[in-house]
């Protein structure tokens, strides 16, 4: 089941807000490209790249929170999760952590 990217009770997680944030980050990144093309100083370029990364991290944080609070919760509440569906959810969460550079322990390490 495809989950919607809209939560009426949380305006920070609205689709409009996420798209706006992505457009801002895109515009900021285009500005960084122009800085490189103009041969601006490296420190300024690096600072601006860090700012773009920070904006993208915040978008990721909002989306991950939405997934955990809405999408994952809905799957659990449906009560139709067999072992394969549960494993899929765990794999999705682990992939989010991996994208953030955080490695989760293997199952063998948990036992």
């Amino acid at each position: 089941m495809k989950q919607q990217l809209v939560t009426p009770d949380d305006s920070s997680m609205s689709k409009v807000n996420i798209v706006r944030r992505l457009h801002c980050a895109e515009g900021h990144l285009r500005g960084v490209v122009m800085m490189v093309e103009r041969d601006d100083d490296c420190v300024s370029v690096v600072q601006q790249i860090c700012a773009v990364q920070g904006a993208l991290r915040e978008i990721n944080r909002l989306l991950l929170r939405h997934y955990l609070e809405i999408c994952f919760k809905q799957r659990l509440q449906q009560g139709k999760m067999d072992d394969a569906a549960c494993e899929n959810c765990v794999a999705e969460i682990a992939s989010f952590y991996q994208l953030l550079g955080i490695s989760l322990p293997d199952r063998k390490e948990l036992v």
Side-chain angles (χ1 to χ4, degrees):
M1 171 192 280
K2 184 177 178 182
Q3 299 294 324
Q4 296 298 314
L5 186 61
V6 177
T7 55
D9 59 331
D10 185 0
S11 61
S12 70
M13 199 42 235
S14 72
K15 186 186 292 189
V16 171
N17 184 37
I18 294 298
V19 170
R20 181 187 58 76
R21 287 172 179 268
L22 287 167
H23 283 302
C24 286
E26 177 185 34
H28 200 156
L29 185 57
R30 274 192 248 109
V32 173
V33 170
M34 289 189 315
M35 290 175 73
V36 171
E37 290 172 345
R38 288 190 313 250
D39 291 325
D40 285 8
D41 67 287
C42 293
V43 172
S44 296
V45 173
V46 169
Q47 287 173 337
Q48 293 307 310
I49 289 172
C50 288
V52 172
Q53 289 172 327
L56 292 174
R57 265 193 306 278
E58 178 62 15
I59 294 166
N60 271 335
R61 189 188 66 77
L62 289 170
L63 289 170
L64 180 57
R65 180 177 177 185
H66 174 77
Y67 173 79
L68 292 173
E69 291 181 354
I70 306 298
C71 304
F72 187 68
K73 186 176 177 181
Q74 285 175 354
R75 287 183 185 180
L76 290 175
Q77 289 174 342
Q78 289 172 353
K80 299 177 184 175
M81 288 188 65
D82 58 10
D83 286 345
C86 186
E87 283 293 321
N88 186 44
C89 285
V90 170
E92 287 175 351
I93 293 170
S95 71
F96 283 129
Y97 277 91
Q98 191 174 33
L99 288 172
L100 296 172
I102 303 167
S103 61
L104 296 177
D106 292 334
R107 278 182 187 263
K108 298 169 194 163
E109 295 177 73
L110 296 175
V111 186

